[in-house]
Amino acid sequence: MSEELSNFGQKVRDRVAEVVVGQDVVVERLLISLLTGGHLLLQGMPGLAKTLLVNCVAKAIDLRFSRVQFTIDLLPSDIVGSEILDQKSGEFRTHQGPIFTNLLLADEINRAAPKVQSALLEAMQERKVTIGNRSYPLPTPFLVIATQNPIEQSGTFELPEAQLDRFMMCNRLDYPTPEQEELVLTRILGLGLKEEDGGSVAKSSFDVIRDEPVAHVDTLNAAMAAVQKVYVSEVFIKHCVEVTNRTRNHKHIELGGSPRTGIALVQAARARAFLHAREYVIPEDLFALAEDVILHRIRLNYEALAEGHSGTDVLKEILASMG
Amino acid sequence: MMKTTYFIALATGFLIAPLFGEELRSPTVGIAGRIEQIVLPGTELIARPIEDDSSPVVLRIDAVFPHGTANRYDLEFYGLEPGKFDLRDYLLRKDGSGTSDLPEIPVEIRGILGPGQKQPNPLPLTALPVLGGYRALLAAAAILWLVGLLALIFIRPKKQQPQDDEGKQKLSLAERLRPIVERAQTGELSKNEQAELERLLIGYWRERLNLEGQSMTDALATLRQHDEAGALLGALEEWLHSPNHGEGIDVSTLLKPYENVRVEP
């Protein structure tokens, strides 16, 4: 493995750390998603620097980035694009929507109507969209990072299990520690002003994201190829199958992990091993990724909910029974 | 000209008025009739309460006015059957005294149907049978519903745990570990058993170092820091997960300490 490749993850992390404080796990998950081509769902309160983080990663790897705020009145054509009548020529021309990008941040995906969610999720699956009578392939790499707010559920359309399953991972962001939050405030205080059109405006964290990338798409492609070479032992596959199977037979679980669970576990573990400079996956990868890969794919039964169990507790119990 | 028209109208009114009065005393079945300002002697009268559905006339006293020692009444009535009736029969004294001093108050209820009309069959009330019938049906339905509900609550099929797991859960960790370690030392482990061996050894060290309260990720990180457990984990990973399958690792020596393990309860 070349030095550029082995430092790829660390370089991106360092660049993100210049702007975003903490959130190391999310950065790792984002890189895993990028390296495997699996989509990522971020669940967390507003203001946890989700957009900043994705923007920063996109610039660090020289990727195109789009952000769509999902609302109830959003239409599928607002995302995928539409055909517009050109009055000069009298012909229809295609207007490609914001989905034609490398990194798409679908902010608050559960606020949009199911038909919009469905259109996006279909594009995520097939990596192409149809506008009018023509199909257009999406750029590569293509990654959707969707966010959901765990509170304020009124007026939202919860993603059904089948659609949640299409996200390789779902990471639950936590608030920064008091020390990290102090650092955020200190950094903000030192940002200063920027002058624009003869006036001044306070700089935001977005203004300090450096434009020059630390890696390019070629490096990413090479890293993706290296991930494919990470060795996955038969024993590790058996661990993955076992944990998935235990979610299907647990007394508190109504809906266990689908076959996509095992696939996502193996792929994500490979990428994690690559980021940790290993040539093979180990059980630690499985346990570290299990919550993000499995939790959004399982549904507790009524009895478990009535007894006050949470998905996290049940999954912890399953993982504990694995070792 | 105008004066003549007025007199003609007035005269016509006087001539027709008694006819309307007569019409009001002999309405058709179901149509209300009225007798206004009729003076009846004696104390105040009230309408006789209707005690059953068979009364052919229904009478209502619309208004009562004092009239010397007597009272003046506005009566309203309607008949349910054609025939001639005396409204005196449908009056009572308010003070309970008799009504024999009342004059006859004749009315006629005219029928508009021709003779020979077929009457609907009477609907006789029949007693409900002791067994069967609507009540018994309701009771049976209620019992069935209750039985079904109880069955749903108590006899709900439980999710079947794999037999294999039940058997394993009865064995202690040490009991499960021992035979697998023995087989590993002779090199007879299948891939499934290798996976189980790894899980059991992690579980053994979690128990031994009291890390059961920690998440698996944290527990593994702690185990890595431990001299003995860390070395074992590293060697296991090298043996079971690396592409060279742990060349140079002596499995027999590696697992020697776990031949006769005991986990303190």
Side-chain angles (χ1 to χ4, degrees):
Chain A
M1 201 188 299
S2 72
E3 196 181 337
E4 189 189 9
L5 216 54
S6 58
N7 291 336
F8 168 75
Q10 196 52 49
K11 276 184 186 170
V12 176
R13 281 176 175 171
D14 291 344
R15 176 55 65 84
V16 173
E18 289 175 7
V19 184
V20 182
V21 180
Q23 309 292 18
D24 298 334
V25 176
V26 193
V27 178
E28 188 189 87
R29 299 300 185 262
L30 221 157
L31 286 170
I32 290 172
S33 296
L34 260 176
L35 291 168
T36 54
H39 306 287
L40 178 66
L41 181 62
L42 297 177
Q43 200 170 303
M45 302 294 174
L48 292 178
K50 296 186 283 277
T51 311
L52 183 68
L53 183 81
V54 180
N55 206 329
C56 206
V57 171
K59 278 194 176 171
I61 316 177
D62 198 16
L63 297 173
R64 277 189 287 158
F65 167 69
S66 295
R67 174 177 180 264
V68 181
Q69 179 68 47
F70 277 49
T71 53
I72 182 70
D73 55 353
L74 199 75
L75 295 172
S77 58
D78 295 333
I79 299 172
V80 298
S82 55
E83 284 189 321
I84 296 170
L85 180 67
D86 189 337
Q87 291 192 332
K88 267 187 185 172
S89 62
E91 287 179 357
F92 281 99
R93 68 180 168 82
T94 306
H95 165 73
Q96 294 187 338
I99 201 166
F100 288 87
T101 186
N102 297 124
L103 274 185
L104 176 71
L105 179 65
D107 232 345
E108 299 200 83
I109 190 170
N110 56 337
R111 296 222 171 264
K115 63 180 177 183
V116 181
Q117 294 175 356
S118 176
L120 176 67
L121 293 162
E122 199 178 325
M124 284 161 61
Q125 178 94 350
E126 296 177 11
R127 294 185 193 274
K128 65 176 182 182
V129 291
T130 305
I131 305 170
N133 293 325
R134 275 189 66 188
S135 285
Y136 297 86
L138 291 171
T140 48
F142 173 68
L143 180 68
V144 173
I145 298 141
T147 72
Q148 276 197 142
N149 186 343
I151 55 163
E152 292 176 19
Q153 293 299 312
S154 60
T156 62
F157 299 90
E158 197 182 346
L159 288 174
E161 275 74 12
Q163 294 191 348
L164 277 174
D165 200 27
R166 303 213 181 144
F167 286 97
M168 188 174 81
M169 287 186 291
C170 172
N171 183 261
R172 289 146 196 87
L173 280 87
D174 216 345
Y175 284 117
T177 61
E179 293 78 24
Q180 288 172 338
E181 207 155 353
E182 276 174 30
L183 188 57
V184 171
L185 300 186
T186 313
R187 278 190 186 179
I188 294 291
L189 288 173
L191 288 180
L193 294 175
K194 65 174 177 181
E195 287 185 7
E196 267 180 12
D197 301 328
S200 294
V201 66
K203 275 186 182 174
S204 75
S205 299
F206 287 92
D207 295 318
V208 293
I209 301 175
R210 284 202 272 162
D211 285 331
E212 67 275 16
V214 292
H216 294 275
V217 177
D218 292 345
T219 326
L220 178 64
N221 289 342
M224 288 171 87
V227 167
Q228 295 302 311
K229 288 178 187 159
V230 171
Y231 179 73
V232 180
S233 67
E234 217 175 310
V235 172
F236 185 84
I237 290 172
K238 291 204 181 288
H239 286 322
C240 291
V241 172
E242 180 68 23
V243 75
T244 309
N245 210 28
R246 286 188 191 197
T247 65
R248 294 175 192 154
N249 293 316
H250 196 279
K251 62 177 178 176
H252 287 147
I253 296 178
E254 175 94 44
L255 180 74
S258 69
R260 278 199 188 112
T261 311
I263 296 167
L265 268 175
V266 173
Q267 287 182 339
R270 259 182 162 179
R272 188 176 184 274
F274 168 79
L275 291 171
H276 286 254
R278 268 187 276 110
E279 288 173 357
Y280 55 92
V281 295
I282 55 173
E284 183 193 294
D285 297 321
L286 187 153
F287 291 119
L289 295 165
E291 186 175 323
D292 287 359
V293 173
I294 301 174
L295 198 53
H296 66 288
R297 292 185 157 97
I298 60 173
R299 191 175 63 201
L300 297 194
N301 56 28
Y302 174 76
E303 288 86 349
L305 292 171
E307 287 168 18
H309 295 283
S310 70
T312 315
D313 296 338
V314 173
L315 185 60
K316 269 186 186 165
E317 188 195 317
I318 291 171
L319 294 177
S321 73
M322 289 283 292
Chain B
M1 180 67 183
M2 192 72 172
K3 228 173 194 177
T4 319
T5 312
Y6 174 74
F7 280 117
I8 290 169
L10 198 65
T12 314
F14 275 113
L15 284 170
I16 292 172
L19 291 176
F20 275 115
E22 195 56 38
E23 185 71 16
L24 287 172
R25 279 209 177 207
S26 55
T28 53
V29 172
I31 301 299
R34 282 185 74 83
I35 302 172
E36 293 182 345
Q37 301 295 311
I38 183 170
V39 178
L40 294 172
T43 57
E44 192 181 334
L45 294 161
I46 56 170
R48 185 184 289 275
I50 298 166
E51 284 164 357
D52 56 43
D53 299 339
S54 60
S55 174
V57 173
V58 177
L59 174 67
R60 188 170 75 86
I61 296 176
D62 202 18
V64 185
F65 310 95
H67 190 88
T69 56
N71 287 297
R72 248 180 311 121
Y73 299 88
D74 284 350
L75 303 178
E76 190 177 79
F77 63 96
Y78 65 91
L80 303 171
E81 287 173 15
K84 290 182 177 176
F85 303 96
D86 185 357
L87 292 188
R88 198 171 45 171
D89 301 337
Y90 300 93
L91 290 167
L92 288 175
R93 293 274 180 214
K94 202 174 185 178
D95 57 10
S97 55
T99 53
S100 54
D101 58 333
L102 287 178
E104 199 178 341
I105 314 166
V107 292
E108 185 182 0
I109 308 298
R110 292 178 291 124
I112 52 173
L113 296 173
Q117 290 298 313
K118 281 188 177 174
Q119 297 294 316
N121 289 326
L123 291 172
L125 284 172
T126 52
L128 288 171
V130 180
L131 282 174
Y134 184 65
R135 283 185 189 186
L137 190 69
L138 269 183
I143 290 166
L144 267 177
W145 181 84
L146 200 66
V147 168
L149 181 72
L150 291 173
L152 267 178
I153 293 169
F154 296 110
I155 323 173
R156 203 173 162 189
K158 301 280 177 208
K159 237 183 191 179
Q160 292 214 335
Q161 293 290 332
Q163 290 290 319
D164 215 25
D165 273 5
E166 278 176 22
K168 281 176 190 170
Q169 277 161 13
K170 283 174 193 162
L171 298 173
S172 71
L173 199 138
E175 284 169 328
R176 287 161 60 197
L177 187 57
R178 218 170 291 131
I180 292 186
V181 168
E182 278 170 21
R183 285 169 60 76
Q185 285 173 325
T186 53
E188 294 170 0
L189 282 190
S190 66
K191 294 290 178 192
N192 266 330
E193 286 170 323
Q194 285 179 0
E196 195 179 353
L197 173 70
E198 187 175 35
R199 292 197 293 265
L200 287 171
L201 285 171
I202 294 172
Y204 165 75
W205 275 104
R206 280 181 71 219
E207 262 188 61
R208 191 164 149 185
L209 301 183
N210 290 320
L211 302 175
E212 284 133 315
Q214 288 187 6
S215 70
M216 280 302 287
T217 321
D218 294 341
L220 279 177
T222 313
L223 291 182
R224 251 178 232 294
Q225 304 299 319
H226 189 269
D227 290 341
E228 207 179 333
L232 172 75
L233 280 186
L236 277 177
E237 284 166 5
E238 188 72 24
W239 170 37
L240 300 174
H241 299 289
S242 79
N244 60 19
H245 303 291
E247 272 174 27
I249 291 177
D250 183 0
V251 177
S252 185
T253 317
L254 180 72
L255 299 177
K256 187 87 179 158
Y258 307 97
E259 276 175 350
N260 292 302
V261 290
R262 277 192 62 205
V263 179
E264 295 301 324

